[in-house]
Amino acid sequence: MRTLSVLSTLVLSASALPAGLFFQSTTDAMADAQPKKVPVLLGVMSRCPDAKICENVWDHVLDRVGGLVDIELTYIGKFNESAPYGVSCMHGDDECKGNIQQLCAYKKWLGVSGDVKPWQDWWNFVQCQNYGPSSQIGDESTAKECASSVSHNWNEEVENCAAGEEGIQLLHDSVQQSQALHITKSCTIVINGKAVCVHDGQWKQCEGGHEIGDFASQVKKEWKDLNEVAPEPEMPEEGERMLEKGE
């Protein structure tokens, strides 16, 4: 009985508020909430032809839905204590170096271009590296040119990252992430935690399609699911009467 009394008091108190104020806190909370972005992960090797194909397709996907996603690259390799970077990369040590350069660009430049497309600077850096032959990926002069192309300097902070222990640790963390997610093929596309497609010589395991529009549609669907808004609560009858009277 005491619980019913408290509930009755709350309902009466709410019905006595001016029109519109009853839902003010709910509306404000919804307005303040930032939409959730769809996590997209591409499992790659920086010098791999499949990775370049995959990243080129996703460059066009991002033209359509870039504001809806948080995109990241995760690198495939095998831990090897005797290797220069502690990891064996399929296309050689220079690929490991390219992986590290891209990871450092991601760490240092993520968010510099703003909240809508925080990935833009480091992603365009990767696209620049992909433009030439794969043998240029990992080359420091190419990294400097590509940094300049996205209005950054290959300055002390990012250069030290790429040439030092920080970059090596980023590579180890990335390879460990790929292994934990059982990503073994470059390029593996993961959207919101689900592997949706692989390019390994050709497109494989792409149930939702592998065209630009297919990936864009999958992102839009996941974004809607992530940002589903609960329906507003029904207004008490007393509140409806107050609106009708203009009180």
Side-chain angles (χ1 to χ4, degrees):
M1 292 296 292
R2 186 172 182 275
T3 301
L4 289 174
S5 176
V6 171
L7 289 173
S8 299
T9 301
L10 290 173
V11 171
L12 289 172
S13 298
S15 66
L17 293 172
L21 188 58
F22 179 68
F23 298 102
Q24 188 68 46
S25 60
T26 301
T27 304
D28 288 347
M30 291 172 61
D32 291 340
Q34 294 295 319
K36 298 176 183 177
K37 293 191 176 184
V38 179
V40 174
L41 193 64
L42 306 183
V44 298
M45 309 171 192
S46 61
R47 285 192 170 194
C48 176
D50 293 293
K52 294 177 73 172
I53 291 170
C54 189
E55 288 162 0
N56 181 61
V57 169
W58 271 87
D59 194 45
H60 296 289
V61 175
L62 293 174
D63 285 339
R64 299 190 184 187
V65 294
L68 306 183
V69 306
D70 282 328
I71 189 166
E72 182 183 351
L73 303 180
T74 187
Y75 296 87
I76 299 167
K78 294 181 179 179
F79 288 108
N80 179 358
E81 292 182 0
S82 63
Y85 300 102
V87 169
S88 293
C89 296
M90 181 173 288
H91 302 89
D93 292 335
D94 285 336
E95 177 173 72
C96 287
K97 189 174 181 180
N99 296 349
I100 290 172
Q101 288 174 347
Q102 294 176 4
L103 286 163
C104 288
Y106 174 87
K107 181 177 180 180
K108 304 301 182 181
W109 301 338
L110 179 66
V112 173
S113 54
D115 294 334
V116 178
K117 297 180 179 180
W119 44 264
Q120 193 164 21
D121 287 9
W122 73 263
W123 175 263
N124 287 335
F125 171 80
V126 172
Q127 289 299 309
C128 175
Q129 287 189 314
N130 286 347
Y131 183 75
S134 295
S135 59
Q136 292 184 357
I137 298 173
D139 181 74
E140 189 166 353
S141 62
T142 300
K144 290 179 178 178
E145 291 174 5
C146 288
S148 178
S149 75
V150 295
S151 301
H152 286 282
N153 293 318
W154 195 250
N155 59 17
E156 183 175 340
E157 182 182 24
V158 68
E159 187 174 3
N160 287 347
C161 173
E165 290 300 319
E166 182 180 9
I168 292 175
Q169 187 60 53
L170 290 175
L171 178 62
H172 288 196
D173 291 345
S174 185
V175 170
Q176 188 171 27
Q177 174 180 239
S178 298
Q179 292 182 351
L181 295 172
H182 306 290
I183 295 174
T184 59
K185 299 292 184 181
S186 173
C187 165
T188 299
I189 301 167
V190 180
I191 300 178
N192 199 22
K194 299 183 286 288
V196 299
C197 195
V198 172
H199 196 286
D200 181 26
Q202 61 184 352
W203 292 108
K204 302 176 180 179
Q205 303 168 32
C206 305
E207 186 174 332
H210 58 76
E211 301 293 338
I212 294 165
D214 297 326
F215 293 130
S217 295
Q218 290 176 63
V219 166
K220 290 176 183 177
K221 179 184 181 301
E222 293 295 335
W223 189 90
K224 289 178 181 177
D225 290 345
L226 283 173
N227 293 282
E228 185 177 5
V229 179
E232 290 188 359
E234 292 184 8
M235 182 181 292
E237 293 182 5
E238 182 66 23
E240 291 179 352
R241 288 197 295 269
M242 290 171 65
L243 285 177
E244 290 174 358
K245 295 177 181 179
E247 296 178 5

